Amino acid sequence: MKFRIACAILPALLIAACGSKSGTAADGNGNGVAPAAAPVAAVKPVAGQSWVDIVSRTPEGGYRMGNPDAAVKLVEYGSRSCPHCAAFDAEGVSVLKAGPIAAGKLSYEFRDYPVHGALDMGPILLGQCVEPATFFPMLEQMFAAQQQLLNKPEMPRDQQAALQTRSPSQVATALAEYYGFLDFVKQRGVPEAKARACLADPKAIEAIAKSTETANDEYKVAGTPTFIVNGTVAQDVAEWEKLKPILQGAGAL
């Protein structure tokens, strides 16, 4: 799988790479994480509801699952084409949902980050083309099908060349069609007309670009996944087994 066309079409979004080196959490000055916190107490949701089912869009353009006032706030900048992100979704998110998210101790916010530029735009636009309640199920299913969707021959060079003069929305649509993401969301209940409208939405594309710029400027995102725990970036932590002790230190696990 190659991404030759991505660099030429959306260069402003191509800042990072999928995956990163192992390491520990630190603040922007490399001072390390705070000392271990006391265990966070569980918080009951409103009667008849589950924290796992409470999902809302955030001002930063992400989607947050769980208690919005949770003592521990986990943010992931992730890419739907990144295998490290898919691995975290499979290994870590289910544990968080069954444990600290359900207990109201931790909220989990996913912010789409187009680490592969143009290739990511279609999946992002289609993945956000749903109601908040179905955002995470769609995200989980995209990650589960990631290898199947992206395991295709490189787009023919004549088609790549033709895309160089197209608008970002046209490029996103063409790649979403080629890699099967458009059919993927249609099979899961998104009408084709709605899906194509989401792919062609210039405001949505602008919002993704703005969110990406904020990620780069504020958090110095250098790869996906990038995790932020209570406002502190977990430097070079791209795996669940390395994130887990940071969440334990914050009192969430």
Side-chain angles (χ1 to χ4, degrees), residues 52-56 63 130-138:
V52 173
D53 297 326
I54 296 177
V55 177
S56 60
Y63 286 78
V130 295
E131 296 300 319
T134 54
F135 174 86
F136 283 102
M138 182 68 79

Side-chain angles (χ1 to χ4, degrees), residues 12-13 113 207-219:
L13 298 181
Y113 186 91
I208 295 166
K210 183 177 179 180
S211 175
T212 303
E213 183 179 4
T214 299
N216 296 333
D217 293 344
E218 186 170 348
Y219 296 109

Side-chain angles (χ1 to χ4, degrees), residues 133-146:
T134 54
F135 174 86
F136 283 102
M138 182 68 79
L139 178 66
E140 179 181 350
Q141 291 179 47
M142 277 194 181
F143 276 138
Q146 183 187 89

Side-chain angles (χ1 to χ4, degrees), residues 156-168:
R157 294 193 179 188
D158 60 334
Q159 294 184 37
Q160 293 189 36
L163 292 181
Q164 303 304 315
T165 58
R166 302 289 181 84
S167 68

Side-chain angles (χ1 to χ4, degrees), residues 79-157:
S79 161
R80 295 167 190 258
S81 65
C82 170
H84 295 275
C85 301
F88 172 72
D89 189 81
E91 298 167 4
V93 174
S94 59
V95 176
L96 295 175
K97 287 168 63 177
I101 295 177
K105 299 179 180 182
L106 176 143
S107 64
Y108 167 58
E109 179 181 348
F110 185 88
R111 298 178 187 173
D112 278 293
Y113 186 91
V115 74
H116 290 130
L119 176 69
D120 278 318
M121 293 303 291
I124 292 174
L125 292 165
L126 292 171
Q128 295 183 5
C129 193
V130 295
E131 296 300 319
T134 54
F135 174 86
F136 283 102
M138 182 68 79
L139 178 66
E140 179 181 350
Q141 291 179 47
M142 277 194 181
F143 276 138
Q146 183 187 89
Q147 292 187 3
Q148 177 184 350
L149 287 164
L150 297 178
N151 187 26
K152 292 185 178 181
E154 183 180 1
M155 178 179 281
R157 294 193 179 188

